[in-house]
């Protein structure tokens, strides 16, 4: 079946450090890939997405590139802030039989803590 | 614009009790979902709906039932709660026009079964 594997956390960084959170996937079809973020006490929010190979999703200084050859979608940010402290989830969605609704398969989540 | 609203936000049940979680969305979305979130396991899909009056099983449907009598509402029921159902439950919705696989989530409902 389809699955998403994220790097083990938690990740602790100092403000302005470089961030990478690894994400790899296995899928029977051709997935769309997502990063969602969950701030403390809140639901998940879409951070960025990519729908085909070599696409780069970006938002709020975060970037991720859809790499079909390595089945990866690693999240990066050049300079993190304290406000980026949250749980980050990598996810995929596959259109099954032409049906366009989106059931997502999530990774286990990576907790990021950024210190001043 | 409220988005996706879940009630209640917190609930404590005893084993064997029943309850219903309510999800309401005001975005006229066609698709709705119930996920559960457990530590170290990410989110897992319980049930979903592709339209009013239709529901389908997700990855972990056992012990839960759902109903979508109105387009804007998606109810998750536990007929006989078990400690294994202690979790945080998230409702989400998505729309054909805004992107079926771009989900908007509610703030979550934390359920504890003693």
């Amino acid at each position: 079946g389809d699955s998403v594997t994220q790097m083990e956390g938690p990740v602790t960084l100092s403000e302005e450090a470089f961030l990478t959170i690894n994400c790899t996937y296995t899928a029977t079809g051709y997935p769309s890939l997502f990063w969602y973020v969950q701030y403390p006490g809140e639901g998940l929010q879409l951070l960025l997405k990519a729908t085909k190979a070599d696409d780069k999703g970006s938002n709020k200084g975060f970037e991720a590139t859809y790499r079909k050859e390595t089945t990866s979608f690693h999240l990066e940010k050049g300079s993190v802030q304290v406000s980026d402290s949250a749980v980050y989830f990598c996810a995929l969605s596959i259109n099954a039989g032409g049906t366009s609704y989106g059931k997502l398969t999530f990774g286990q989540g990576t907790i990021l803590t950024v210190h001043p | 614009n409220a988005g996706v609203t879940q009630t209640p936000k917190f609930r404590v049940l005893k084993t064997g009790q029943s309850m219903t979680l309510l999800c309401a969305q005001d975005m006229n979305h066609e698709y709705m979902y119930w996920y559960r979130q457990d530590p170290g396991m990410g989110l897992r899909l319980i049930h979903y709906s592709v339209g009013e009056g239709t529901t389908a099983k997700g990855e972990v449907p056992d012990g839960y039932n759902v109903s979508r009598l109105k387009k804007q509402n998606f109810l998750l029921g536990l007929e006989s709660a078990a400690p294994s159902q202690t979790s945080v439950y998230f409702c989400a919705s998505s729309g054909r026009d805004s992107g079926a696989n771009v989900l908007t989530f509610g703030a979550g409902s934390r359920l504890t079964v003693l």
Side-chain angles (χ1 to χ4, degrees):
Chain A
D2 304 328
S3 66
V4 176
T5 302
Q6 292 180 231
M7 67 183 290
E8 292 289 332
V11 175
T12 303
L13 296 173
S14 297
E15 207 164 26
E16 299 183 2
F18 184 85
L19 168 70
T20 299
I21 300 178
N22 289 340
C23 171
T24 58
Y25 67 89
T26 59
T28 53
Y30 194 37
S32 295
L33 301 174
F34 307 84
W35 279 100
Y36 279 81
V37 59
Q38 183 181 28
Y39 297 104
E42 299 183 9
L44 281 73
Q45 306 172 23
L46 178 66
L47 180 60
L48 53 84
K49 67 173 184 175
T51 58
K52 61 183 187 297
D54 299 326
D55 266 2
K56 177 184 285 188
S58 61
N59 186 26
K60 299 181 181 180
F62 290 90
E63 293 183 338
T65 300
Y66 190 144
R67 301 290 188 198
K68 186 180 179 183
E69 63 275 14
T70 54
T71 63
S72 65
F73 193 54
H74 304 321
L75 182 68
E76 297 182 336
K77 186 174 185 182
S79 176
V80 294
Q81 305 300 311
V82 172
S83 58
D84 294 327
S85 297
V87 183
Y88 292 82
F89 291 92
C90 186
L92 66 80
S93 177
I94 294 177
N95 291 336
T99 306
S100 60
Y101 54 87
K103 300 179 293 178
L104 267 63
T105 298
F106 286 88
Q108 72 270 35
T110 301
I111 299 172
L112 170 66
T113 303
V114 180
H115 293 296
Chain B
N1 191 355
V4 177
T5 303
Q6 294 181 227
T7 53
K9 291 188 177 353
F10 302 94
R11 184 73 187 270
V12 178
L13 290 177
K14 295 181 179 179
T15 297
Q17 288 185 318
S18 63
M19 74 159 296
T20 299
L21 297 176
L22 172 64
C23 176
Q25 53 94 3
D26 61 1
M27 297 168 286
N28 201 34
H29 281 171
E30 291 81 7
Y31 315 123
M32 298 187 74
Y33 316 84
W34 275 107
Y35 287 88
R36 60 178 288 173
Q37 182 182 31
D38 300 296
M41 300 186 73
L43 279 75
R44 293 180 291 169
L45 182 64
I46 304 171
H47 286 280
Y48 63 98
S49 168
V50 301
E52 183 177 323
T54 70
T55 64
K57 294 179 180 180
E59 180 185 356
V60 287
D62 293 343
Y64 305 95
N65 56 77
V66 288
S67 64
R68 187 138 179 234
L69 299 179
K70 295 182 179 181
K71 185 177 184 180
Q72 64 268 34
N73 295 337
F74 195 30
L75 279 62
L76 178 70
L78 285 72
E79 290 186 348
S80 179
S84 60
Q85 294 177 304
T86 293
S87 187
V88 180
Y89 292 86
F90 286 98
C91 179
S93 69
S94 64
R96 201 175 293 128
D97 292 341
S98 54
N101 52 20
V102 176
L103 273 58
T104 299
F105 283 84
S109 298
R110 182 175 294 276
L111 174 66
T112 301
V113 183
L114 303 176

